[in-house]
Amino acid sequence: MVQNLYSIVMELTAPSSSTLLTVDRTRKILNDFAYNFEWTPSDSLDIPSTNDFANAHLIVEHGLEHQAVITFLKRPYADLNYTQKKNLLGISYNNLLDWHIQVESEKILYVFNRCSPEKIAKSYPISRENLDNLRSGVFEAISGQRHHPNLPALDDALIETISFWKRNLYAEMEENISNQQFSALFNAIIFTRAVEDNYRRLYPQRYDEFSNSNTLFETFLKNNSNSLTIRESILKTLEDFGQTNIPEYLIDRSLLSAFDSLNTQTVKALLQDFYRIKSARPYEYDFSLISKHALSRIYERYTSILRVEESDQLSLFPPLPTEQRNKAYGSIYTPQFIARFFARYLREQMPPIEFQQLKTLEPAIGSGIFVRTLLEIQCDPMQGEVTTELIQSAFQNVFGLDVDPNACQAALLSLSLLHLVLTDQLPSQLSIETAESIQYYQDHPELKESFSAVITNPPFVALTDQTEAMRKRIAQFMGDDGRGRIDLSLAFIKIALEVLKPGGYGLFVLPHKFLLSESDAKIRQLITREAWIRCLVDLSAIPIFGQVDTYIVLLIFQKRFNVQPEPLATISHCQELVGRALQDVVEGREVESQFYSVFKVPQNAFNGEDWVIKPPSIARIQQKLETLPKLSEFMNIGQGVATGHNKVFIMPKSHIPKGEEAIFIPYLSDREMEVYTTPQKVSQYLFYPYFEEKLLEEDEIRNKYHKTWKYLLLHQETLESRYAVKKENKSWWQLARPNCKYLLQPKIISPHLSIMPRFSLDIEGKFAVIRSPIIYPKDRQLESDLLRYFVAVLNSSICYRYISEHSHKYGSGYSMLEPKTLLKTPVPDPTKVSSFDMSQLLRLVDQRFLASGKEAIQLEIEIDKAVSKLYGFTEEDCSIYGV
């Protein structure tokens, strides 16, 4: 076997220029190489070699995250000049890959391309006897290290360019340009550049003729004397490359005409910036290589709203607008590896011919990353014979909708470029329409049971960001399948269940709350009635969307049809190594490690109130926990004050009028809360005009606390606009919900958003909290003991893990602690704890109240061990449960 692999490498790296390989032979060799060295071939690139140094290129991946371009070099990499290296590494850079692996006849180099000059991270020898350094595991170890790039990734560089020109053109043209016109301009430039770069790839014999040519830019310069507009330059360039019948969705002449008035210097600078990469020299754009990943990121800019910041300061030049994401569209960029996971999962579930003929709906198409990735795999020539007819059929079987016309433009561009690369032709038609999906489906009943797959990252549009008309439409469409605050994404699930054929697949990116929320319970029940859950991947421990505070799960279901037995569902929980976890899901491997788990469960696992499904080892422990009583049996749980306007009702202590301190109480913010104990003093106080749970009369406040009343009058207009005043008949100066019956009594409090246990005991009952949970005993006679007992239990590792797993996820990995979650939390029954164990635990708690530093940490460890025993956990249980 080693001899054969060595022959493969030698054949591709033979220094003799007489070595001629056909495309089919090269692909066969690349496939064999990838298979034997545990890589997955993503694509082979027919890119002109640079002075015969490179024979073949292959995009490979290990898992679904780690990707690189492998180049087989006939001569040493060190012999390449500056231009040759730039062109070679530009292949991986333009594919949004940080790594370019150079294979020579006697060694392999791992090059990190986001450094200038390029960085050779590792260089290893290879020989007939030892080819292990070609294996994917070596690359994973190298790429997992920090390499300190000094160049931005291509998508960031392109986004920066588009953002810069969008803001500057908006200012230069005195705010008369719409987002749709901007979208048309950038689509046209990118498309024209892609045609130009694709021509270079298709006609390598003319490579030298075009290698240093900026054709679009030069078209404008050559005709500068004739005063060509940017619109005319684009059309002339396309005509020169044989593209005359361009669909309007790619080149919208009427929208482009808005830029006819741009001056010559502006157009020169604009076009030049789509050849060079200012922030990542020495690289240049190759739009025939730029993937849907970059186009998806660009879509974020297409849907941003331009806003000019108001300023009283005089300025010589017009201000540049800022950008803001349009929340009404609910669009969030989807990472490429998720789209690839969905496409590969579908491929593994059906025969090849059925997969290639898949009829697919994307009801919120965005930039088209899902359908483009699916089409790339369906039309992959390395997966079997692919004809032009099959490619055209695959494109015709895709149908996309989006309410945002800019999104549709981005998707049309992305799919058209893919079709152009695959066939050297533009598609005659693409079924992508600008429409609101619920309304469109209701107007087209023929869509029912007409698709084999529905794949989408549905818009996450909160109720507050929905228009009144949209709220009514969603509620009417959901009917009995909706409850409470219905998110728009739920309507997309219902659409999928109705348009799928029996046996068809729904593939969704959903917020983590979908597994737990009561408002989502009805749609979860609908799915279990009409479909089988085939795959559920919990990625809530990983910030997939970066700074966006959304934590997700991947859900794949299959519409029921007449087959027995029911398929098992694949479940995965991922803390790290998401690419490897998804790879194991696709390949059907069951794994349980400290980084992720993959296991199978029967369909009845989804019959419970929520869909929090654990691996078998954890499930056994969870069953033990479920036999215990709930916290609600011993404690009441409420919430802190809701003011309706914190900025008015909360103020620094120094701002309280002298002599009027009686109507203000200490306010403890989430940030100031500690574990076990409360701080000695706080910096802010809450306006709280209650004595012994009774609200003071307005006259008394006005006369006795006149300075405070004067302060409130300054904010009367703001306070009158609150919901509680308009809808609940509250007086304009009152707190929205004071919760005075339990606020000022001994209690356990905790931050509303928490990343680790911080339950503390307010033994004097003097602190006010906002929205945070307030826990107090049902039996007031045992108040002191119960409070000290449960502050220990709630801060324990076992209890807090259960709470966090059953709570909604929030930004930066925080859990949202709400009464309904805490009430259901299993706890050791205090009435069944021996008097000796109880006294020992309470003694430790009392000591912890007085301790600090290392002593406090040690006491918390001892308390944690004591609570573990009360839960009935063995050392093995604690190890399995991760505590």
Side-chain angles (χ1 to χ4, degrees):
M1 176 178 170
V2 171
Q3 172 67 39
N4 293 337
L5 297 180
Y6 188 76
S7 299
I8 287 174
V9 176
M10 292 305 102
E11 187 171 1
L12 284 169
T13 60
S16 171
S17 60
S18 62
T19 303
L20 298 177
L21 298 174
T22 65
V23 171
D24 288 342
R25 173 61 178 155
T26 300
R27 283 182 171 156
K28 173 65 168 60
I29 292 174
L30 293 176
N31 271 326
D32 289 344
F33 171 86
Y35 175 79
N36 285 301
F37 288 104
E38 302 160 1
W39 298 93
T40 300
S42 300
D43 197 4
S44 60
L45 303 174
D46 299 324
I47 296 172
S49 297
T50 306
N51 291 353
D52 211 27
F53 276 99
N55 182 265
H57 310 276
L58 175 68
I59 299 179
V60 292
E61 61 184 33
H62 181 50
L64 285 164
E65 281 187 303
H66 302 287
Q67 290 188 310
V69 169
I70 292 183
T71 298
F72 296 87
L73 299 176
K74 291 184 177 181
R75 302 176 189 174
Y77 177 74
D79 289 354
L80 270 67
N81 61 34
Y82 174 84
T83 301
Q84 291 164 341
K85 287 181 179 180
K86 177 191 73 173
N87 292 340
L88 190 63
L89 296 180
I91 297 170
S92 53
Y93 184 81
N94 275 279
N95 270 284
L96 278 173
L97 305 178
D98 292 345
W99 291 93
H100 205 125
I101 302 173
Q102 322 286 5
V103 181
E104 302 177 3
S105 58
E106 296 181 350
K107 65 180 176 180
I108 179 173
L109 294 87
Y110 292 92
V111 182
F112 184 67
N113 64 25
R114 283 185 50 207
C115 284
S116 182
E118 80 281 4
K119 174 182 179 182
I120 299 177
K122 290 290 182 181
S123 175
Y124 291 125
I126 56 174
S127 65
R128 187 185 305 272
E129 293 75 25
N130 184 8
L131 295 173
D132 287 344
N133 289 323
L134 290 171
R135 296 200 174 277
S136 59
V138 175
F139 168 66
E140 185 178 359
I142 295 171
S143 61
Q145 301 169 2
R146 293 181 62 86
H147 294 278
H148 306 291
N150 58 17
L151 301 178
L154 174 116
D155 54 350
D156 290 326
L158 190 50
I159 285 169
E160 183 180 331
T161 296
I162 290 177
S163 178
F164 171 83
W165 279 109
K166 186 175 182 181
R167 291 181 288 114
N168 279 274
L169 292 177
Y170 185 81
E172 180 174 328
M173 303 186 76
E174 298 180 347
E175 308 175 21
N176 292 320
I177 301 296
S178 69
N179 261 7
Q180 192 170 2
Q181 289 167 322
F182 276 122
S183 181
L185 174 65
F186 295 127
N187 275 347
I189 293 174
I190 291 172
F191 172 71
T192 306
R193 288 286 294 105
V195 169
E196 178 184 344
D197 291 338
N198 191 55
Y199 190 87
R200 291 188 176 94
R201 293 185 60 203
L202 290 173
Y203 301 99
Q205 67 274 17
R206 302 185 65 185
Y207 183 76
D208 292 337
E209 177 183 343
F210 289 106
S211 61
N212 296 310
S213 173
N214 299 341
T215 312
L216 175 57
F217 180 65
E218 291 174 356
T219 297
F220 180 79
L221 291 180
K222 288 176 183 177
N223 292 275
N224 192 24
S225 59
N226 297 328
S227 300
L228 279 186
T229 65
I230 189 170
R231 169 174 54 90
E232 292 167 335
S233 298
I234 287 170
L235 293 172
K236 180 69 169 61
T237 303
L238 290 171
E239 183 181 339
D240 291 344
F241 284 107
Q243 300 292 343
T244 55
N245 298 317
I246 308 295
E248 186 175 332
Y249 64 76
L250 285 176
I251 304 295
D252 191 318
R253 292 165 175 80
S254 62
L255 292 175
L256 287 177
S257 64
F259 301 95
D260 286 353
S261 62
L262 285 177
N263 68 63
T264 300
Q265 294 303 318
T266 298
V267 175
K268 284 181 182 179
L270 168 62
L271 295 179
Q272 184 65 39
D273 277 357
F274 281 86
Y275 286 92
R276 63 183 180 179
I277 307 178
K278 291 191 297 185
S279 55
R281 293 174 180 171
Y283 296 121
E284 294 181 354
Y285 291 117
D286 184 340
F287 285 91
S288 68
L289 294 179
I290 292 175
S291 70
K292 69 275 179 183
H293 179 68
L295 293 173
S296 298
R297 290 285 307 277
I298 295 165
Y299 169 54
E300 292 179 291
R301 296 298 189 223
Y302 283 169
T303 58
S304 62
I305 301 173
L306 290 172
R307 298 184 183 276
V308 177
E309 298 292 342
E310 297 295 336
S311 175
D312 296 329
Q313 185 174 356
L314 294 177
S315 174
L316 212 60
F317 302 101
L320 291 180
T322 59
E323 293 182 313
Q324 177 176 315
R325 187 169 67 88
N326 190 339
K327 294 182 179 179
Y329 290 147
S331 58
I332 298 177
Y333 157 71
T334 304
Q336 184 177 0
F337 72 86
I338 292 180
R340 192 161 182 82
F341 165 68
F342 278 165
R344 288 182 57 188
Y345 183 91
L346 282 173
R347 186 183 66 187
E348 296 301 317
Q349 302 307 310
M350 55 192 71
I353 190 64
E354 184 180 343
F355 174 70
Q356 290 175 328
Q357 296 175 351
L358 208 61
K359 189 174 181 183
T360 306
L361 169 67
E362 221 291 39
I365 196 165
S367 63
I369 189 170
F370 283 118
V371 291
R372 172 161 171 164
T373 303
L374 181 63
L375 287 167
E376 285 177 342
I377 294 181
Q378 286 177 309
C379 305
D380 182 359
M382 292 195 293
Q383 302 301 324
E385 185 176 351
V386 176
T387 63
T388 301
E389 290 74 19
L390 186 147
I391 293 171
Q392 292 173 342
S393 175
F395 275 75
Q396 290 169 3
N397 282 334
V398 166
F399 183 43
L401 295 168
D402 205 291
V403 70
D404 180 8
N406 297 312
C408 293
Q409 288 295 319
L412 287 166
L413 172 64
S414 180
L415 298 190
S416 297
L417 293 181
L418 176 62
H419 195 281
L420 183 68
V421 169
L422 291 172
T423 67
D424 195 27
Q425 298 174 353
L426 290 172
S428 57
Q429 182 181 3
L430 288 172
S431 298
I432 296 175
E433 298 196 28
T434 301
E436 195 282 308
S437 293
I438 300 175
Q439 186 67 59
Y440 188 92
Y441 172 61
Q442 291 176 326
D443 293 342
H444 294 80
E446 71 276 7
L447 294 179
K448 192 167 186 177
E449 295 193 353
S450 62
F451 291 95
S452 303
V454 176
I455 180 168
T456 188
N457 178 357
F460 300 167
V461 183
L463 192 68
T464 53
D465 293 321
Q466 297 172 16
T467 64
E468 185 62 31
M470 178 57 70
R471 290 193 197 108
K472 290 180 179 178
R473 182 176 297 164
I474 294 172
Q476 180 270 329
F477 177 70
M478 294 300 295
D480 293 337
D481 296 316
R483 174 195 294 174
R485 301 168 67 88
I486 305 174
D487 189 273
L488 179 58
S489 61
L490 303 187
F492 282 74
I493 296 175
K494 185 172 182 178
I495 290 173
L497 288 168
E498 295 188 8
V499 303
L500 282 172
K501 300 175 181 178
Y505 289 84
L507 305 97
F508 280 76
V509 180
L510 295 171
H512 178 265
K513 79 174 189 65
F514 176 78
L515 305 181
L516 301 165
S517 174
E518 291 183 9
S519 61
D520 297 346
K522 288 278 191 177
I523 203 71
R524 291 198 298 267
Q525 295 167 8
L526 179 65
I527 294 173
T528 55
R529 286 198 307 270
E530 298 192 6
W532 297 307
I533 308 301
R534 297 303 307 271
C535 182
L536 178 60
V537 181
D538 186 344
L539 298 177
S540 59
I542 298 171
I544 297 296
F545 294 131
Q547 300 301 314
V548 180
D549 292 339
T550 300
Y551 291 81
I552 66 163
V553 297
L554 308 181
L555 175 66
I556 302 176
F557 56 80
Q558 184 180 21
K559 194 166 182 178
R560 290 177 182 263
F561 63 106
N562 188 22
V563 66
Q564 293 293 334
E566 292 185 336
L568 296 175
T570 300
I571 310 296
S572 178
H573 293 274
C574 191
Q575 286 76 43
E576 295 182 44
L577 304 181
V578 60
R580 188 181 297 178
L582 295 179
Q583 182 77 14
D584 286 338
V585 170
V586 168
E587 297 181 0
R589 286 191 290 266
E590 296 191 42
V591 178
E592 188 162 354
S593 72
Q594 61 178 322
F595 304 113
Y596 66 90
S597 60
V598 181
F599 57 96
K600 296 183 184 297
V601 298
Q603 293 297 319
N604 61 17
F606 299 93
N607 293 340
E609 291 184 10
D610 56 41
W611 283 4
V612 179
I613 300 170
K614 297 299 177 185
S617 59
I618 301 294
R620 176 181 61 80
I621 295 174
Q622 292 275 30
Q623 289 174 355
K624 179 185 291 189
L625 290 173
E626 296 299 338
T627 63
L628 298 172
K630 310 302 181 192
L631 182 61
S632 59
E633 295 185 28
F634 312 100
M635 307 291 278
N636 293 313
I637 302 180
Q639 275 190 302
V641 175
T643 69
H645 204 295
N646 291 348
K647 288 185 179 179
V648 173
F649 291 116
I650 298 174
M651 65 179 64
K653 184 178 182 181
S654 59
H655 289 190
I656 297 175
K658 290 185 178 181
E660 300 185 7
E661 294 85 357
I663 55 173
F664 291 87
I665 59 175
Y667 163 63
L668 187 59
S669 67
D670 279 15
R671 187 183 299 274
E672 294 172 302
M673 291 185 190
E674 302 171 354
V675 61
Y676 281 99
T677 60
T678 53
Q680 294 294 317
K681 58 182 180 179
V682 292
S683 60
Q684 294 180 300
Y685 278 66
L686 171 71
F687 169 68
Y688 200 76
Y690 289 83
F691 287 102
E692 296 182 353
E693 302 180 8
K694 184 179 179 181
L695 176 65
L696 297 181
E697 296 292 335
E698 182 176 321
D699 288 343
E700 185 175 0
I701 298 176
R702 184 188 300 114
N703 297 326
K704 189 174 180 180
Y705 305 99
H706 59 276
K707 291 181 181 179
T708 301
W709 184 254
K710 185 178 180 180
Y711 164 79
L712 293 173
L713 285 172
L714 292 174
H715 300 280
Q716 182 173 354
E717 184 177 349
T718 299
L719 296 178
E720 285 177 339
S721 66
R722 294 176 299 154
Y723 180 88
V725 176
K726 290 184 174 182
K727 302 292 186 181
E728 299 175 0
N729 297 320
K730 292 275 186 181
S731 296
W732 65 267
W733 54 272
Q734 291 181 10
L735 301 175
R737 287 189 298 278
N739 296 333
C740 54
K741 291 185 178 180
Y742 54 77
L743 182 68
L744 298 180
Q745 71 173 58
K747 58 188 179 289
I748 296 172
I749 52 180
S750 169
H752 184 226
L753 298 175
S754 178
I755 203 168
M756 59 184 296
R758 275 197 291 157
F759 293 92
S760 55
L761 179 55
D762 177 16
I763 195 64
E764 298 179 16
K766 67 178 182 180
F767 290 107
V769 294
I770 301 292
R771 295 192 66 188
S772 299
I774 292 176
I775 306 168
Y776 56 100
K778 287 187 172 183
D779 187 347
R780 296 295 296 270
Q781 294 181 338
L782 300 174
E783 183 176 75
S784 176
D785 287 352
L786 287 174
L787 287 171
R788 289 183 294 155
Y789 175 78
F790 280 112
V791 79
V793 171
L794 291 166
N795 278 314
S796 70
S797 303
I798 294 171
C799 187
Y800 190 76
R801 169 165 176 169
Y802 185 95
I803 291 170
S804 62
E805 286 179 344
H806 291 78
S807 297
H808 297 321
K809 299 300 178 185
Y810 205 72
S812 303
Y814 282 78
S815 297
M816 184 180 292
L817 273 56
E818 297 181 308
K820 61 184 179 182
T821 304
L822 295 171
L823 287 168
K824 298 177 182 178
T825 301
V827 295
D829 189 340
T831 66
K832 295 183 179 179
V833 177
S834 70
S835 57
F836 176 79
D837 288 340
M838 180 64 79
S839 63
Q840 288 290 95
L841 178 62
L842 297 184
R843 178 181 59 81
L844 290 172
V845 171
D846 289 339
Q847 290 176 345
R848 173 59 187 84
F849 289 149
L850 302 175
S852 61
K854 292 183 179 180
E855 181 186 359
I857 294 172
Q858 186 57 44
L859 285 166
E860 288 174 16
I861 294 172
E862 292 185 45
I863 292 171
D864 210 39
K865 290 179 180 178
V867 174
S868 298
K869 292 179 181 178
L870 298 181
Y871 268 107
F873 270 45
T874 64
E875 287 189 11
E876 181 183 5
D877 291 338
C878 290
S879 176
I880 293 172
Y881 206 51
V883 294

